[in-house]
């Protein structure tokens, strides 16, 4: 099932009563900043739409997706209910893409296993910029909004 068929942004708010008290961190990569800014907006707007207090959304910037694991680790020390790691890796001419994708996904997974704050993976890994545009507010929706829902669901487990 692809993400077009699976719309996780439809969330029954009745199942999540304490949204106003949630504290959510957003760690955002500066690389491909036009895309990550749109993902950030998608995530923030969805959190606020669902009732999370604007002042409980904490944003931290890192230089690139490789730094998302460290940024998420540091932000999660601030007594947050969930952290969303936002990045965009686009395949270029070199092997950088594979190294960064592997590093960031492994790094964030390790934080989920070893830490107590859920870390949400909102990193686009695309072959072309047009694919990233489509997933950051374009024809395939906004993966930032989907990450916000995942954060709320994981925060409720916490
Ligand atoms: C170096 C690099 C390259 C080539 N591509 C991307 C990318 O597509 N997306 C991204 O978020 N970051 C990229 N970076 C930067 C690395 O993530 C990292 O910031 C630098 O290697 C410094 O550690």
């Amino acid at each position: 099932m692809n993400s077009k068929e699976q719309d996780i942004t439809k969330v029954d708010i009745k199942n999540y009563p304490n949204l106003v008290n949630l504290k959510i961190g957003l760690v955002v990569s500066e690389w491909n900043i036009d895309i990550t800014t749109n993902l950030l907006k998608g995530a923030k707007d969805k959190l606020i739409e669902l009732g999370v207090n604007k002042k409980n959304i904490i944003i931290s910037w890192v230089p690139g997706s490789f730094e998302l694991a460290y940024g998420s680790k540091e932000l999660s020390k601030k007594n947050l209910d969930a952290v969303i790691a936002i990045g965009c890796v686009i395949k270029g001419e070199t092997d950088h893409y594979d190294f960064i994708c592997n590093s960031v996904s492994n790094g964030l997974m390790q934080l989920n296993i070893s830490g107590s704050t859920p870390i949400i993976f909102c990193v686009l890994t695309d072959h072309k910029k047009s694919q990233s545009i489509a997933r950051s507010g374009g024809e395939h929706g906004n993966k930032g909004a989907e990450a916000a829902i995942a954060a709320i669901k994981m925060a409720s487990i916490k």
Side-chain angles (χ1 to χ4, degrees):
M1 182 178 275
N2 67 32
S3 58
K4 250 183 161 176
E5 293 161 325
Q6 189 171 304
D7 186 359
I8 77 155
T9 59
K10 302 266 177 297
V11 62
D12 190 350
I13 202 157
K14 289 195 296 296
N15 297 331
Y16 304 97
N18 296 318
L19 296 184
V20 73
N21 296 322
L22 286 186
K23 280 181 84 178
I24 309 287
L26 304 172
V27 187
V28 193
S29 162
E30 289 169 356
W31 202 281
N32 295 316
I33 196 161
D34 48 340
I35 303 290
T36 59
T37 302
N38 284 344
L39 293 169
L40 168 62
K41 181 172 168 16
K44 211 175 144 193
D45 287 353
K46 181 56 79 176
L47 291 172
I48 292 168
E49 178 194 317
L50 292 175
V52 176
N53 195 323
K54 206 172 173 180
K55 74 171 171 41
N56 289 339
I57 299 173
I58 291 108
I59 298 169
S60 163
W61 288 87
V62 293
S65 292
F66 187 80
E67 285 76 34
L68 284 171
Y70 181 82
S72 299
K73 183 183 74 170
E74 289 304 303
L75 199 60
S76 66
K77 292 176 183 167
K78 294 184 191 280
N79 194 26
L80 301 175
D81 295 293
V83 169
I84 303 173
I86 295 176
C88 173
V89 194
I90 301 176
K91 199 165 174 58
E93 305 276 299
T94 68
D95 293 338
H96 246 93
Y97 174 84
D98 300 305
F99 285 109
I100 295 171
C101 292
N102 287 334
S103 303
V104 67
S105 55
N106 287 333
L108 296 178
M109 178 48 85
Q110 275 176 35
L111 290 178
N112 274 299
I113 294 166
S114 60
S116 59
T117 307
I119 314 288
I120 308 303
F121 187 78
C122 182
V123 183
L124 301 182
T125 56
D126 290 319
H127 287 201
K128 289 186 271 174
K129 186 153 185 182
S130 58
Q131 296 171 316
S132 305
I133 292 169
R135 290 169 173 79
S136 56
E139 60 179 303
H140 292 310
N142 190 316
K143 299 298 164 193
E146 293 184 15
I149 305 286
I152 284 169
K153 289 180 174 174
M154 292 308 290
S156 80
I157 292 174
K158 184 174 190 253

